[in-house]
Each structure stands twice: as C-alpha cells, then as structure tokens.
Amino acid sequence: MKKTFGFILVLLLVFPSFAADQTREQKRLEACGQVFKEILDIPDGIPKELLNKAECVIVIPSVLKFAIGVGGDFGRGAITCRTGEHFTGSWSAPALFALEGGNIGFQLGGTATDFVLLVMNPKGAKSIPGSKVKLGADASAAAGPKGRTAAADTDIVMRAEVLSYSRARGLFAGISLEGSTLRSDGSANRKMYGHDLSAKEIVRQGKVGVPASARELISLLNKTSPKNQSDPKSLQE
C-alpha cells in the first residue's frame, strides 16, 4: 500500500505541468461551448435566421484588452464550419483560432469580452480557415444586428462576410472588428489533436473527429441550427 501511494505521489509531483498543458486547449473549447450557450440564451441576442444562414461560427471567450502606448486586443477561441462541399452538413470539429488587433476603438479598460463571429458566405468560409485574414481588408466585416426578429436582408448583412457580436460587463451588442486579424492557432491545434493540422484540414477536410471538450459547442450548434438555410444557389459559388 505504501509503495502504491508513493508511486501515485511521484506521478503527481513529476507531471503536473504536463497535465496542465494537456488540458489548456480542452478548457478553451469547453469555454467556447459555455460562452456560446450563454449568448444564445440572451433574449435580444443573435438572430436565429442569421445563425441559420452562417457557414461558420467563431467563438472567442474573454478577449483581453490592454493599453501599452496603443490599445489592443488578443484572444483565443475556436472556429467550426458546416461540413460538406457546399456547407450543407452538420458542424465540423473545431479548429483553435486566434483574434488579434490593435487600436480598434472598443477598449473598455481591462474588461474581458466574449466574441461570436458569424461567417456568412462560402467565400469567407473558405478563406478564413485557410490563411491569416484581416477583417475589413481581406474579409468584409460588420457589427451584427441584434434581436430574434432582426431583418436578415439589410444591406449590411447582405454585404458582410463576417458579422460580429460581443458581450462585456453583462452587455451584449453587435460590434465592428475591422482592423483585427483572425488566424489559425497552429501550436494549440497540434496539442489538441496530437499532430500538425491546419484549420482547413480540421473544419473543411474532416481530418479529425469532435473532441470530448468540444461536444457541448458542436451539439448546441447541431441542435440549434441543424440545416443551412442560405439560398442554395449562393452555396454553389
């Protein structure tokens, strides 16, 4: 008994940092699921009809703002896209993603902000997982309209490839992220899935299954928005 206890104690002393490294990405995916669930529960939140027309969803929990000379933001989250050649299938395994930007005009001191971004057409859904994208330059972006009955056919919605929403200090709003960049978090994906994978391989090519830590997020999306309701012709582009 003493030998067994001693062996367990050695394992706990030798491997704590390794265990933490192993679970950091899992906790991040779990946070994405929790944030997305809470935002969906907001009465005057993301319009269901917009979510149903989104090809991809990006969730960035707790983006931290800072001010060292200039304002900035830095956040880690995940992207998932509808599967299938024309984005008509269920939601994919998530790829870990990063949001970065500087002096973009929405700093709120040291407040942590959650973001949800909807990718609204196949062009954006193909380009964002494949490369580093600057919002407003490489991909058109706009603050997403709020409300369950918000019109989905406004000029802003029709033109934007990305609609963005934020939640900070209990307040929820559509907010512009122009000037920020989105990119795949390669090292985090490697730790999560055990080998090098691009975001495109994860969300578009189905190289991996949904990990346990992402099941809440993906199950919620499959339940809330199981079918892509975009114009079928637009999905063929």
mmCIF file of all heavy atoms in Angstrom, residues 90-141:
data_model
loop_
_atom_site.group_PDB
_atom_site.id
_atom_site.type_symbol
_atom_site.label_atom_id
_atom_site.label_comp_id
_atom_site.label_asym_id
_atom_site.label_seq_id
_atom_site.Cartn_x
_atom_site.Cartn_y
_atom_site.Cartn_z
ATOM 1 N N SER A 90 -23.562 18.708 -41.151
ATOM 2 C CA SER A 90 -23.502 19.039 -39.728
ATOM 3 C C SER A 90 -22.245 19.858 -39.443
ATOM 4 O O SER A 90 -21.398 20.050 -40.322
ATOM 5 C CB SER A 90 -23.497 17.746 -38.901
ATOM 6 O OG SER A 90 -22.401 16.925 -39.272
ATOM 7 N N TRP A 91 -22.110 20.316 -38.199
ATOM 8 C CA TRP A 91 -20.988 21.181 -37.847
ATOM 9 C C TRP A 91 -19.714 20.364 -37.606
ATOM 10 O O TRP A 91 -19.759 19.271 -37.054
ATOM 11 C CB TRP A 91 -21.343 22.014 -36.621
ATOM 12 C CG TRP A 91 -22.423 23.015 -36.928
ATOM 13 C CD1 TRP A 91 -23.764 22.815 -36.836
ATOM 14 C CD2 TRP A 91 -22.246 24.351 -37.403
ATOM 15 N NE1 TRP A 91 -24.450 23.947 -37.222
ATOM 16 C CE2 TRP A 91 -23.541 24.912 -37.574
ATOM 17 C CE3 TRP A 91 -21.131 25.138 -37.697
ATOM 18 C CZ2 TRP A 91 -23.747 26.210 -38.022
ATOM 19 C CZ3 TRP A 91 -21.338 26.442 -38.147
ATOM 20 C CH2 TRP A 91 -22.626 26.961 -38.309
ATOM 21 N N SER A 92 -18.599 20.921 -38.024
ATOM 22 C CA SER A 92 -17.314 20.213 -38.007
ATOM 23 C C SER A 92 -16.669 20.219 -36.626
ATOM 24 O O SER A 92 -17.070 20.952 -35.723
ATOM 25 C CB SER A 92 -16.344 20.894 -38.977
ATOM 26 O OG SER A 92 -15.929 22.158 -38.456
ATOM 27 N N ALA A 93 -15.630 19.399 -36.500
ATOM 28 C CA ALA A 93 -14.734 19.521 -35.348
ATOM 29 C C ALA A 93 -14.151 20.933 -35.355
ATOM 30 O O ALA A 93 -13.947 21.524 -36.420
ATOM 31 C CB ALA A 93 -13.619 18.483 -35.436
ATOM 32 N N PRO A 94 -13.885 21.506 -34.204
ATOM 33 C CA PRO A 94 -13.382 22.881 -34.162
ATOM 34 C C PRO A 94 -11.875 22.962 -34.336
ATOM 35 O O PRO A 94 -11.128 22.092 -33.879
ATOM 36 C CB PRO A 94 -13.783 23.343 -32.757
ATOM 37 C CG PRO A 94 -13.723 22.086 -31.945
ATOM 38 C CD PRO A 94 -14.156 20.971 -32.850
ATOM 39 N N ALA A 95 -11.444 24.010 -35.004
ATOM 40 C CA ALA A 95 -10.022 24.356 -35.060
ATOM 41 C C ALA A 95 -9.789 25.515 -34.107
ATOM 42 O O ALA A 95 -10.590 26.460 -34.062
ATOM 43 C CB ALA A 95 -9.613 24.749 -36.480
ATOM 44 N N LEU A 96 -8.737 25.445 -33.347
ATOM 45 C CA LEU A 96 -8.421 26.533 -32.421
ATOM 46 C C LEU A 96 -7.919 27.736 -33.200
ATOM 47 O O LEU A 96 -7.116 27.597 -34.136
ATOM 48 C CB LEU A 96 -7.411 26.046 -31.396
ATOM 49 C CG LEU A 96 -8.016 24.967 -30.478
ATOM 50 C CD1 LEU A 96 -6.934 24.180 -29.775
ATOM 51 C CD2 LEU A 96 -8.959 25.582 -29.472
ATOM 52 N N PHE A 97 -8.390 28.920 -32.815
ATOM 53 C CA PHE A 97 -8.170 30.131 -33.596
ATOM 54 C C PHE A 97 -7.751 31.268 -32.683
ATOM 55 O O PHE A 97 -7.995 31.237 -31.471
ATOM 56 C CB PHE A 97 -9.471 30.503 -34.330
ATOM 57 C CG PHE A 97 -9.324 30.593 -35.819
ATOM 58 C CD1 PHE A 97 -8.891 29.518 -36.561
ATOM 59 C CD2 PHE A 97 -9.627 31.771 -36.496
ATOM 60 C CE1 PHE A 97 -8.761 29.599 -37.941
ATOM 61 C CE2 PHE A 97 -9.512 31.872 -37.858
ATOM 62 C CZ PHE A 97 -9.061 30.779 -38.587
ATOM 63 N N ALA A 98 -7.134 32.297 -33.266
ATOM 64 C CA ALA A 98 -6.702 33.465 -32.506
ATOM 65 C C ALA A 98 -7.245 34.733 -33.150
ATOM 66 O O ALA A 98 -7.341 34.840 -34.368
ATOM 67 C CB ALA A 98 -5.177 33.526 -32.435
ATOM 68 N N LEU A 99 -7.623 35.695 -32.313
ATOM 69 C CA LEU A 99 -8.047 37.028 -32.739
ATOM 70 C C LEU A 99 -7.024 38.025 -32.225
ATOM 71 O O LEU A 99 -6.699 38.045 -31.037
ATOM 72 C CB LEU A 99 -9.420 37.355 -32.159
ATOM 73 C CG LEU A 99 -9.914 38.800 -32.312
ATOM 74 C CD1 LEU A 99 -10.280 39.070 -33.767
ATOM 75 C CD2 LEU A 99 -11.125 39.048 -31.418
ATOM 76 N N GLU A 100 -6.503 38.842 -33.114
ATOM 77 C CA GLU A 100 -5.506 39.828 -32.729
ATOM 78 C C GLU A 100 -5.820 41.141 -33.408
ATOM 79 O O GLU A 100 -6.386 41.180 -34.497
ATOM 80 C CB GLU A 100 -4.106 39.363 -33.149
ATOM 81 C CG GLU A 100 -3.684 38.054 -32.495
ATOM 82 C CD GLU A 100 -2.478 37.413 -33.170
ATOM 83 O OE1 GLU A 100 -2.248 37.708 -34.359
ATOM 84 O OE2 GLU A 100 -1.789 36.617 -32.519
ATOM 85 N N GLY A 101 -5.457 42.249 -32.760
ATOM 86 C CA GLY A 101 -5.690 43.538 -33.378
ATOM 87 C C GLY A 101 -5.153 44.651 -32.520
ATOM 88 O O GLY A 101 -4.810 44.455 -31.355
ATOM 89 N N GLY A 102 -5.093 45.850 -33.075
ATOM 90 C CA GLY A 102 -4.577 46.970 -32.322
ATOM 91 C C GLY A 102 -5.376 48.234 -32.554
ATOM 92 O O GLY A 102 -5.757 48.546 -33.676
ATOM 93 N N ASN A 103 -5.639 48.952 -31.463
ATOM 94 C CA ASN A 103 -6.258 50.276 -31.539
ATOM 95 C C ASN A 103 -7.539 50.275 -32.375
ATOM 96 O O ASN A 103 -7.725 51.114 -33.250
ATOM 97 C CB ASN A 103 -5.262 51.279 -32.130
ATOM 98 C CG ASN A 103 -5.600 52.705 -31.735
ATOM 99 O OD1 ASN A 103 -6.185 52.951 -30.692
ATOM 100 N ND2 ASN A 103 -5.229 53.655 -32.573
ATOM 101 N N ILE A 104 -8.444 49.341 -32.097
ATOM 102 C CA ILE A 104 -9.628 49.215 -32.931
ATOM 103 C C ILE A 104 -10.866 49.862 -32.323
ATOM 104 O O ILE A 104 -11.967 49.674 -32.799
ATOM 105 C CB ILE A 104 -9.899 47.737 -33.274
ATOM 106 C CG1 ILE A 104 -10.023 46.900 -32.015
ATOM 107 C CG2 ILE A 104 -8.837 47.184 -34.176
ATOM 108 C CD1 ILE A 104 -10.301 45.434 -32.289
ATOM 109 N N GLY A 105 -10.675 50.611 -31.268
ATOM 110 C CA GLY A 105 -11.724 51.525 -30.857
ATOM 111 C C GLY A 105 -12.802 50.997 -29.939
ATOM 112 O O GLY A 105 -13.808 51.657 -29.742
ATOM 113 N N PHE A 106 -12.622 49.818 -29.333
ATOM 114 C CA PHE A 106 -13.674 49.370 -28.436
ATOM 115 C C PHE A 106 -13.114 48.938 -27.082
ATOM 116 O O PHE A 106 -13.735 48.199 -26.344
ATOM 117 C CB PHE A 106 -14.475 48.217 -29.055
ATOM 118 C CG PHE A 106 -13.667 46.970 -29.302
ATOM 119 C CD1 PHE A 106 -13.508 46.010 -28.316
ATOM 120 C CD2 PHE A 106 -13.067 46.774 -30.532
ATOM 121 C CE1 PHE A 106 -12.780 44.865 -28.550
ATOM 122 C CE2 PHE A 106 -12.324 45.625 -30.763
ATOM 123 C CZ PHE A 106 -12.186 44.670 -29.776
ATOM 124 N N GLN A 107 -11.908 49.422 -26.751
ATOM 125 C CA GLN A 107 -11.308 49.041 -25.471
ATOM 126 C C GLN A 107 -12.173 49.524 -24.304
ATOM 127 O O GLN A 107 -12.693 50.632 -24.324
ATOM 128 C CB GLN A 107 -9.896 49.633 -25.336
ATOM 129 C CG GLN A 107 -8.850 48.931 -26.184
ATOM 130 C CD GLN A 107 -8.972 49.289 -27.646
ATOM 131 O OE1 GLN A 107 -9.666 50.226 -27.998
ATOM 132 N NE2 GLN A 107 -8.313 48.529 -28.499
ATOM 133 N N LEU A 108 -12.312 48.696 -23.320
ATOM 134 C CA LEU A 108 -13.079 49.041 -22.128
ATOM 135 C C LEU A 108 -12.213 48.807 -20.898
ATOM 136 O O LEU A 108 -12.547 48.029 -20.015
ATOM 137 C CB LEU A 108 -14.357 48.188 -22.052
ATOM 138 C CG LEU A 108 -15.357 48.364 -23.192
ATOM 139 C CD1 LEU A 108 -16.463 47.346 -23.076
ATOM 140 C CD2 LEU A 108 -15.924 49.772 -23.188
ATOM 141 N N GLY A 109 -11.060 49.486 -20.847
ATOM 142 C CA GLY A 109 -10.142 49.277 -19.738
ATOM 143 C C GLY A 109 -9.603 47.867 -19.756
ATOM 144 O O GLY A 109 -9.126 47.391 -20.770
ATOM 145 N N GLY A 110 -9.693 47.177 -18.632
ATOM 146 C CA GLY A 110 -9.189 45.813 -18.555
ATOM 147 C C GLY A 110 -10.284 44.781 -18.657
ATOM 148 O O GLY A 110 -10.104 43.638 -18.256
ATOM 149 N N THR A 111 -11.448 45.161 -19.191
ATOM 150 C CA THR A 111 -12.577 44.253 -19.246
ATOM 151 C C THR A 111 -12.332 43.106 -20.205
ATOM 152 O O THR A 111 -11.817 43.290 -21.300
ATOM 153 C CB THR A 111 -13.843 45.004 -19.704
ATOM 154 O OG1 THR A 111 -14.079 46.082 -18.814
ATOM 155 C CG2 THR A 111 -15.045 44.081 -19.723
ATOM 156 N N ALA A 112 -12.727 41.909 -19.799
ATOM 157 C CA ALA A 112 -12.689 40.756 -20.698
ATOM 158 C C ALA A 112 -13.982 40.717 -21.497
ATOM 159 O O ALA A 112 -15.068 40.919 -20.959
ATOM 160 C CB ALA A 112 -12.522 39.477 -19.894
ATOM 161 N N THR A 113 -13.860 40.484 -22.786
ATOM 162 C CA THR A 113 -15.007 40.488 -23.687
ATOM 163 C C THR A 113 -15.087 39.171 -24.434
ATOM 164 O O THR A 113 -14.082 38.673 -24.924
ATOM 165 C CB THR A 113 -14.896 41.640 -24.707
ATOM 166 O OG1 THR A 113 -14.754 42.874 -24.012
ATOM 167 C CG2 THR A 113 -16.122 41.694 -25.593
ATOM 168 N N ASP A 114 -16.290 38.621 -24.524
ATOM 169 C CA ASP A 114 -16.531 37.428 -25.333
ATOM 170 C C ASP A 114 -17.007 37.865 -26.713
ATOM 171 O O ASP A 114 -17.795 38.805 -26.846
ATOM 172 C CB ASP A 114 -17.616 36.554 -24.693
ATOM 173 C CG ASP A 114 -17.264 36.135 -23.280
ATOM 174 O OD1 ASP A 114 -16.107 35.745 -23.050
ATOM 175 O OD2 ASP A 114 -18.153 36.186 -22.405
ATOM 176 N N PHE A 115 -16.543 37.144 -27.745
ATOM 177 C CA PHE A 115 -16.967 37.446 -29.101
ATOM 178 C C PHE A 115 -17.545 36.211 -29.778
ATOM 179 O O PHE A 115 -17.066 35.093 -29.572
ATOM 180 C CB PHE A 115 -15.800 37.949 -29.956
ATOM 181 C CG PHE A 115 -15.365 39.349 -29.643
ATOM 182 C CD1 PHE A 115 -14.267 39.582 -28.850
ATOM 183 C CD2 PHE A 115 -16.062 40.436 -30.140
ATOM 184 C CE1 PHE A 115 -13.865 40.868 -28.545
ATOM 185 C CE2 PHE A 115 -15.670 41.738 -29.850
ATOM 186 C CZ PHE A 115 -14.572 41.947 -29.048
ATOM 187 N N VAL A 116 -18.566 36.435 -30.588
ATOM 188 C CA VAL A 116 -19.071 35.422 -31.512
ATOM 189 C C VAL A 116 -19.098 36.053 -32.892
ATOM 190 O O VAL A 116 -19.653 37.143 -33.074
ATOM 191 C CB VAL A 116 -20.482 34.936 -31.122
ATOM 192 C CG1 VAL A 116 -21.040 34.023 -32.213
ATOM 193 C CG2 VAL A 116 -20.441 34.192 -29.795
ATOM 194 N N LEU A 117 -18.490 35.390 -33.854
ATOM 195 C CA LEU A 117 -18.455 35.879 -35.227
ATOM 196 C C LEU A 117 -19.157 34.872 -36.121
ATOM 197 O O LEU A 117 -18.905 33.665 -36.029
ATOM 198 C CB LEU A 117 -17.012 36.063 -35.718
ATOM 199 C CG LEU A 117 -16.228 37.279 -35.208
ATOM 200 C CD1 LEU A 117 -15.917 37.166 -33.723
ATOM 201 C CD2 LEU A 117 -14.920 37.429 -35.983
ATOM 202 N N LEU A 118 -20.043 35.362 -36.975
ATOM 203 C CA LEU A 118 -20.725 34.522 -37.953
ATOM 204 C C LEU A 118 -20.106 34.760 -39.321
ATOM 205 O O LEU A 118 -20.024 35.904 -39.767
ATOM 206 C CB LEU A 118 -22.219 34.848 -38.006
ATOM 207 C CG LEU A 118 -23.006 34.809 -36.686
ATOM 208 C CD1 LEU A 118 -24.481 35.112 -36.964
ATOM 209 C CD2 LEU A 118 -22.853 33.479 -35.981
ATOM 210 N N VAL A 119 -19.676 33.704 -39.977
ATOM 211 C CA VAL A 119 -19.138 33.803 -41.335
ATOM 212 C C VAL A 119 -20.285 33.497 -42.287
ATOM 213 O O VAL A 119 -20.847 32.392 -42.270
ATOM 214 C CB VAL A 119 -17.968 32.832 -41.551
ATOM 215 C CG1 VAL A 119 -17.373 33.021 -42.949
ATOM 216 C CG2 VAL A 119 -16.898 33.059 -40.487
ATOM 217 N N MET A 120 -20.648 34.479 -43.137
ATOM 218 C CA MET A 120 -21.950 34.467 -43.785
ATOM 219 C C MET A 120 -21.966 34.043 -45.251
ATOM 220 O O MET A 120 -23.024 34.060 -45.868
ATOM 221 C CB MET A 120 -22.584 35.861 -43.662
ATOM 222 C CG MET A 120 -22.824 36.315 -42.223
ATOM 223 S SD MET A 120 -23.842 35.165 -41.255
ATOM 224 C CE MET A 120 -25.384 35.207 -42.174
ATOM 225 N N ASN A 121 -20.849 33.683 -45.832
ATOM 226 C CA ASN A 121 -20.895 33.195 -47.211
ATOM 227 C C ASN A 121 -19.745 32.230 -47.479
ATOM 228 O O ASN A 121 -18.766 32.182 -46.727
ATOM 229 C CB ASN A 121 -20.900 34.358 -48.210
ATOM 230 C CG ASN A 121 -19.675 35.239 -48.087
ATOM 231 O OD1 ASN A 121 -18.569 34.771 -47.858
ATOM 232 N ND2 ASN A 121 -19.875 36.544 -48.249
ATOM 233 N N PRO A 122 -19.846 31.426 -48.539
ATOM 234 C CA PRO A 122 -18.811 30.432 -48.827
ATOM 235 C C PRO A 122 -17.431 31.038 -49.057
ATOM 236 O O PRO A 122 -16.423 30.422 -48.697
ATOM 237 C CB PRO A 122 -19.326 29.745 -50.097
ATOM 238 C CG PRO A 122 -20.808 29.899 -50.030
ATOM 239 C CD PRO A 122 -21.024 31.267 -49.419
ATOM 240 N N LYS A 123 -17.387 32.245 -49.633
ATOM 241 C CA LYS A 123 -16.081 32.872 -49.868
ATOM 242 C C LYS A 123 -15.333 33.064 -48.559
ATOM 243 O O LYS A 123 -14.164 32.710 -48.421
ATOM 244 C CB LYS A 123 -16.267 34.219 -50.568
ATOM 245 C CG LYS A 123 -14.948 34.946 -50.837
ATOM 246 C CD LYS A 123 -15.199 36.318 -51.454
ATOM 247 C CE LYS A 123 -13.889 37.087 -51.600
ATOM 248 N NZ LYS A 123 -14.121 38.462 -52.110
ATOM 249 N N GLY A 124 -16.007 33.644 -47.556
ATOM 250 C CA GLY A 124 -15.381 33.831 -46.260
ATOM 251 C C GLY A 124 -15.075 32.518 -45.578
ATOM 252 O O GLY A 124 -14.038 32.349 -44.936
ATOM 253 N N ALA A 125 -15.998 31.555 -45.715
ATOM 254 C CA ALA A 125 -15.815 30.260 -45.058
ATOM 255 C C ALA A 125 -14.650 29.476 -45.635
ATOM 256 O O ALA A 125 -14.067 28.631 -44.958
ATOM 257 C CB ALA A 125 -17.101 29.447 -45.171
ATOM 258 N N LYS A 126 -14.312 29.748 -46.875
ATOM 259 C CA LYS A 126 -13.168 29.073 -47.491
ATOM 260 C C LYS A 126 -11.863 29.794 -47.211
ATOM 261 O O LYS A 126 -10.816 29.166 -47.043
ATOM 262 C CB LYS A 126 -13.382 28.965 -49.004
ATOM 263 C CG LYS A 126 -14.506 28.009 -49.390
ATOM 264 C CD LYS A 126 -14.788 28.054 -50.889
ATOM 265 C CE LYS A 126 -15.948 27.141 -51.253
ATOM 266 N NZ LYS A 126 -16.300 27.239 -52.692
ATOM 267 N N SER A 127 -11.906 31.130 -47.130
ATOM 268 C CA SER A 127 -10.661 31.890 -46.971
ATOM 269 C C SER A 127 -10.204 31.972 -45.519
ATOM 270 O O SER A 127 -9.001 31.874 -45.230
ATOM 271 C CB SER A 127 -10.826 33.300 -47.540
ATOM 272 O OG SER A 127 -11.798 34.037 -46.807
ATOM 273 N N ILE A 128 -11.128 32.129 -44.578
ATOM 274 C CA ILE A 128 -10.731 32.347 -43.181
ATOM 275 C C ILE A 128 -9.996 31.147 -42.581
ATOM 276 O O ILE A 128 -8.957 31.325 -41.947
ATOM 277 C CB ILE A 128 -11.955 32.762 -42.344
ATOM 278 C CG1 ILE A 128 -12.377 34.184 -42.740
ATOM 279 C CG2 ILE A 128 -11.650 32.697 -40.849
ATOM 280 C CD1 ILE A 128 -13.659 34.658 -42.093
ATOM 281 N N PRO A 129 -10.455 29.903 -42.764
ATOM 282 C CA PRO A 129 -9.681 28.784 -42.207
ATOM 283 C C PRO A 129 -8.351 28.550 -42.918
ATOM 284 O O PRO A 129 -7.465 27.890 -42.378
ATOM 285 C CB PRO A 129 -10.605 27.570 -42.405
ATOM 286 C CG PRO A 129 -11.959 28.145 -42.605
ATOM 287 C CD PRO A 129 -11.732 29.449 -43.308
ATOM 288 N N GLY A 130 -8.206 29.104 -44.123
ATOM 289 C CA GLY A 130 -7.026 28.790 -44.922
ATOM 290 C C GLY A 130 -5.854 29.723 -44.766
ATOM 291 O O GLY A 130 -4.743 29.395 -45.170
ATOM 292 N N SER A 131 -6.065 30.894 -44.180
ATOM 293 C CA SER A 131 -4.965 31.854 -44.101
ATOM 294 C C SER A 131 -5.269 32.907 -43.048
ATOM 295 O O SER A 131 -6.393 33.011 -42.548
ATOM 296 C CB SER A 131 -4.746 32.533 -45.457
ATOM 297 O OG SER A 131 -5.904 33.250 -45.841
ATOM 298 N N LYS A 132 -4.261 33.709 -42.722
ATOM 299 C CA LYS A 132 -4.454 34.835 -41.815
ATOM 300 C C LYS A 132 -5.272 35.898 -42.541
ATOM 301 O O LYS A 132 -4.952 36.287 -43.658
ATOM 302 C CB LYS A 132 -3.100 35.400 -41.401
ATOM 303 C CG LYS A 132 -3.168 36.504 -40.359
ATOM 304 C CD LYS A 132 -1.763 36.911 -39.920
ATOM 305 C CE LYS A 132 -1.802 37.986 -38.858
ATOM 306 N NZ LYS A 132 -0.443 38.362 -38.394
ATOM 307 N N VAL A 133 -6.328 36.357 -41.916
ATOM 308 C CA VAL A 133 -7.278 37.257 -42.566
ATOM 309 C C VAL A 133 -7.432 38.516 -41.737
ATOM 310 O O VAL A 133 -7.652 38.454 -40.524
ATOM 311 C CB VAL A 133 -8.646 36.565 -42.730
ATOM 312 C CG1 VAL A 133 -9.705 37.563 -43.178
ATOM 313 C CG2 VAL A 133 -8.546 35.419 -43.720
ATOM 314 N N LYS A 134 -7.333 39.662 -42.397
ATOM 315 C CA LYS A 134 -7.584 40.938 -41.739
ATOM 316 C C LYS A 134 -9.000 41.370 -42.036
ATOM 317 O O LYS A 134 -9.390 41.538 -43.202
ATOM 318 C CB LYS A 134 -6.600 42.007 -42.216
ATOM 319 C CG LYS A 134 -6.720 43.319 -41.453
ATOM 320 C CD LYS A 134 -5.607 44.287 -41.844
ATOM 321 C CE LYS A 134 -5.688 45.568 -41.020
ATOM 322 N NZ LYS A 134 -4.593 46.506 -41.351
ATOM 323 N N LEU A 135 -9.785 41.555 -40.985
ATOM 324 C CA LEU A 135 -11.173 41.938 -41.159
ATOM 325 C C LEU A 135 -11.275 43.371 -41.665
ATOM 326 O O LEU A 135 -10.614 44.269 -41.165
ATOM 327 C CB LEU A 135 -11.925 41.799 -39.839
ATOM 328 C CG LEU A 135 -11.992 40.377 -39.270
ATOM 329 C CD1 LEU A 135 -12.716 40.369 -37.926
ATOM 330 C CD2 LEU A 135 -12.687 39.436 -40.239
ATOM 331 N N GLY A 136 -12.099 43.546 -42.667
ATOM 332 C CA GLY A 136 -12.248 44.861 -43.285
ATOM 333 C C GLY A 136 -11.385 45.027 -44.506
ATOM 334 O O GLY A 136 -11.630 45.915 -45.327
ATOM 335 N N ALA A 137 -10.376 44.173 -44.658
ATOM 336 C CA ALA A 137 -9.492 44.235 -45.814
ATOM 337 C C ALA A 137 -9.591 42.930 -46.609
ATOM 338 O O ALA A 137 -10.019 42.918 -47.762
ATOM 339 C CB ALA A 137 -8.055 44.488 -45.382
ATOM 340 N N ASP A 138 -9.199 41.825 -45.979
ATOM 341 C CA ASP A 138 -9.274 40.527 -46.652
ATOM 342 C C ASP A 138 -10.689 39.946 -46.607
ATOM 343 O O ASP A 138 -11.068 39.148 -47.458
ATOM 344 C CB ASP A 138 -8.311 39.532 -45.992
ATOM 345 C CG ASP A 138 -6.876 40.048 -45.995
ATOM 346 O OD1 ASP A 138 -6.452 40.575 -47.038
ATOM 347 O OD2 ASP A 138 -6.193 39.926 -44.965
ATOM 348 N N ALA A 139 -11.444 40.329 -45.610
ATOM 349 C CA ALA A 139 -12.832 39.873 -45.481
ATOM 350 C C ALA A 139 -13.671 41.026 -44.953
ATOM 351 O O ALA A 139 -13.299 41.676 -43.978
ATOM 352 C CB ALA A 139 -12.924 38.673 -44.529
ATOM 353 N N SER A 140 -14.790 41.313 -45.615
ATOM 354 C CA SER A 140 -15.655 42.406 -45.177
ATOM 355 C C SER A 140 -16.319 42.022 -43.865
ATOM 356 O O SER A 140 -16.723 40.878 -43.658
ATOM 357 C CB SER A 140 -16.710 42.716 -46.237
ATOM 358 O OG SER A 140 -17.478 41.562 -46.522
ATOM 359 N N ALA A 141 -16.408 42.987 -42.961
ATOM 360 C CA ALA A 141 -16.947 42.713 -41.630
ATOM 361 C C ALA A 141 -17.882 43.829 -41.211
ATOM 362 O O ALA A 141 -17.740 44.980 -41.627
ATOM 363 C CB ALA A 141 -15.809 42.577 -40.624
#
